[in-house]
Amino acid sequence: MNTYAKVRAPATIANFGPGFDVFGIALEEPYDIVEMELTDGPSTVDSVPYPLPTSVTKNVASYAALALLGRAGRGDLSFKMTVTKGVRPASGMGSSGASCVGGALAAAALAGITSDADIVWAAAQGEGLATGNPHPDNVAPSYHGGFVAVRSLEPYAALHIMPEDLRVVAVLPDIRVSTKEARAILPATVPMADAVANVANASFVIHALMTGAYRELGTALEDRLSIPYRKALVTGYDDARAAALDAGALAFSLGGSGPTVFAIVEDNGPAVADAISGAFAGHGIGSTAYCTKIGRGAEVLALE
Ligand code: HSE
């Protein structure tokens, strides 16, 4: 049996406009690295460079690994886990989701589990620990790569599109938004007209991604279920949007529960990134920009 696994799991943009809790895309970067080594126990977990919980039942990566091992009937295994965070926590770039996928996939590699359904389910349990809700729209794209729409975890039903040339600028302002809190401010019910608009826009998102007509995303990424309630948490959101579109972005939206914002671009990524960062700077807010693209899913980098 192998005793060491090293996994790369990418950041993601959940919701991807109108697909609240359903749509997500993987980014080429940033990403987390999770290393897991079987030991005689007790199990331990450490995260760098951000201080995250060191209890294996409170850290999302080890929690997802425990969920996977429990489901596989290997709850007897003990491990030492190290999570190297490339994705800043509370970013809106699927930071917890990347760690959850890293933990679940590392555990699966060591336990000989290859079922997508089991790995995504286990990763979603970690997401549930982090946010109070095991939504799959970060963990599924981090695991599979590309664009993913998830209908249900059990039974696992997900569709996958890989628009290889989709270029994305993601800008993370120096603001913290807790997903748990950003979920708590959402209404329990929404107006029928808003639900209808989101179904229409979601249909156009799928069409744009399947045909490469990315210009359609300009209107299709419009969301009426979560962003209108959440954008107040991201100071400068409207200015960042206007700046991105002025600089030639094809589309603009909020990443997951924020504060990351993202734009779909052609070959003008750096100009759009500068425009968005400039808009946040106008509010006295620093930011980190990633000129990236839709990316591949999680990978086992080493298994020994
Ligand atoms: N769908 C989730 C939300 C994603 O919007 O709350 C969180 O990153």
Side-chain angles (χ1 to χ4, degrees):
M1 183 179 184
N2 292 303
T3 58
Y4 171 81
K6 180 176 181 180
V7 168
R8 168 196 178 281
T12 47
I13 299 283
N15 300 338
F16 201 63
F20 179 71
D21 276 1
V22 175
F23 290 176
I25 63 167
L27 298 178
E28 197 57 41
E29 59 174 15
Y31 51 83
D32 284 0
I33 298 285
V34 174
E35 292 170 275
M36 183 170 174
E37 187 175 0
L38 298 184
T39 62
D40 292 333
S43 293
T44 62
V45 63
D46 277 305
S47 308
V48 291
Y50 302 103
L52 292 168
T54 53
S55 158
V56 288
T57 54
K58 297 206 168 102
N59 181 293
V60 298
S62 48
Y63 190 87
L66 290 170
L68 189 289
L69 294 175
R71 194 162 169 108
R74 295 309 313 264
D76 56 306
L77 295 177
S78 296
F79 56 84
K80 172 177 184 272
M81 180 174 282
T82 306
V83 185
T84 304
K85 297 288 304 167
V87 191
R88 195 200 82 183
S91 63
M93 297 180 81
S95 179
S96 55
S99 294
C100 292
V101 168
L105 181 55
L110 293 173
I113 301 295
T114 56
S115 153
D116 292 349
D118 286 343
I119 296 166
V120 174
W121 174 87
Q125 303 316 300
E127 193 76 291
L129 178 71
T131 67
N133 180 279
H135 52 271
D137 51 333
N138 290 112
V139 295
S142 182
Y143 176 66
H144 292 289
F147 168 92
V148 180
V150 184
R151 187 175 60 207
S152 81
L153 278 172
E154 293 187 285
Y156 188 50
L159 67 81
H160 184 233
I161 305 169
M162 188 63 205
E164 300 271 0
D165 55 349
L166 189 76
R167 293 194 232 182
V168 182
V169 166
V171 179
L172 170 57
D174 297 340
I175 300 171
R176 283 193 176 253
V177 173
S178 141
T179 298
K180 204 179 251 181
E181 286 162 23
R183 295 183 75 84
I185 64 169
L186 298 180
T189 58
V190 295
M192 179 66 86
D194 290 348
V196 170
N198 269 54
V199 171
N201 284 334
S203 308
F204 277 81
V205 167
I206 300 289
H207 179 262
L209 296 180
M210 291 189 76
T211 61
Y214 302 142
R215 230 161 247 290
E216 287 180 5
L217 295 172
T219 45
L221 286 193
E222 194 208 329
D223 165 61
R224 287 166 58 170
L225 300 184
S226 66
I227 295 175
Y229 306 98
R230 286 172 161 173
K231 66 179 185 175
L233 301 175
V234 183
T235 304
Y237 179 87
D238 286 330
D239 290 339
R241 177 186 176 83
L245 298 176
D246 277 354
L250 300 182
F252 179 93
S253 189
L254 184 68
S257 56
T260 286
V261 297
F262 72 97
I264 304 301
V265 295
E266 294 176 297
D267 55 3
N268 52 350
V272 171
D274 284 352
I276 296 172
S277 289
F280 283 121
H283 290 266
I285 298 167
S287 59
T288 306
Y290 300 89
C291 285
T292 184
K293 63 192 276 281
I294 198 162
R296 58 194 190 279
E299 299 164 305
V300 179
L301 301 176
L303 186 61
E304 296 158 9

